[in-house]
Amino acid sequence: MRAIVSKVTSPIDPLDGRLLALLREEPRIGIAEAARRLAVARGTVQARLERLRERGILTGFGPEVDPAKLGYPILAFVFLEISQGRLTEAVDVLEHLPEVVEAHGVSGPRDLLVRIVARDTDHLQDVINRILVTPAVRRSTSYISLSSQIAARTGPLVAAAAGLGPPGGSEDR
């Protein structure tokens, strides 16, 4: 029996990777300056950015906000078990809570993994209680984050996808 090895190609090349890294490091850099630093034409940078945006790789240019600095230092991950057929209702409840910053459908014994921020543990309990009011949610299990060992990041992933070297450098975000 012969094994078939397929070569997976990356959706970005080294220039895309360098451009994304530059934007991560200096999000307010202008197109002309980015072109100068990357030693390419301004039109090349514009075309690359548009292509990355159209393909959904580049999802935004907005400011990153630290919830803790806004007065929400508690971070919790909450697993929710949803009543059969009521996912849409549960998600609607979550969308109306500003403290819910992210929610993902997951495999396993629970249905959703929700990232919640809160002012303190009493506030966290209040947010969870507001979630549990809906009959769409059957059960919750909460985990409070004590510290961040690796902050959310995409830098090493972009570098690896672009073939810019082995992952694991000090590059973040």
Side-chain angles (χ1 to χ4, degrees):
M1 179 181 272
R2 192 171 61 153
I4 298 174
V5 179
S6 67
K7 183 177 181 181
V8 177
T9 59
S10 173
I12 63 172
D13 65 14
L15 179 56
D16 290 333
R18 290 179 25 238
L19 176 57
L20 290 170
L22 179 60
L23 289 171
R24 259 192 342 274
E25 292 166 15
E26 297 184 48
R28 296 179 65 169
I29 193 168
I31 290 177
E33 179 62 16
R36 185 187 71 73
R37 291 202 200 167
L38 296 170
V40 298
R42 178 186 172 134
T44 300
V45 170
Q46 286 178 310
R48 293 290 182 124
L49 287 174
E50 183 60 23
R51 190 180 72 202
L52 290 167
R53 189 192 59 72
E54 285 174 355
R55 293 167 53 207
I57 294 169
L58 182 60
T59 59
F61 294 94
E64 294 181 24
V65 177
D66 182 347
K69 302 292 186 196
L70 286 176
Y72 297 84
I74 301 295
L75 170 62
F77 297 93
V78 180
F79 283 98
L80 300 178
E81 183 179 321
I82 307 302
S83 298
Q84 185 100 19
R86 298 183 89 170
L87 178 62
T88 302
E89 181 182 340
V91 170
D92 186 56
V93 169
L94 296 173
E95 285 179 332
H96 287 89
L97 297 173
E99 299 89 350
V100 172
V101 295
E102 196 172 8
H104 298 271
V106 295
S107 62
R110 300 293 184 254
D111 302 298
L112 290 174
L113 173 60
V114 183
R115 188 166 64 125
I116 298 174
V117 295
R119 292 184 298 273
D120 53 38
T121 54
D122 288 336
H123 181 218
L124 176 61
Q125 182 65 62
D126 176 60
V127 172
I128 292 169
N129 288 343
R130 286 187 278 152
I131 293 169
L132 292 173
V133 165
T134 177
V137 177
R138 296 183 62 206
R139 180 174 294 118
S140 72
T141 306
S142 306
Y143 298 89
I144 295 175
S145 173
L146 299 177
S147 65
S148 176
Q149 301 302 311
I150 298 175
R153 63 188 184 148
T154 57
L157 187 63
V158 168
L164 294 176
S170 62
E171 194 173 358
D172 65 351
R173 300 208 81 77

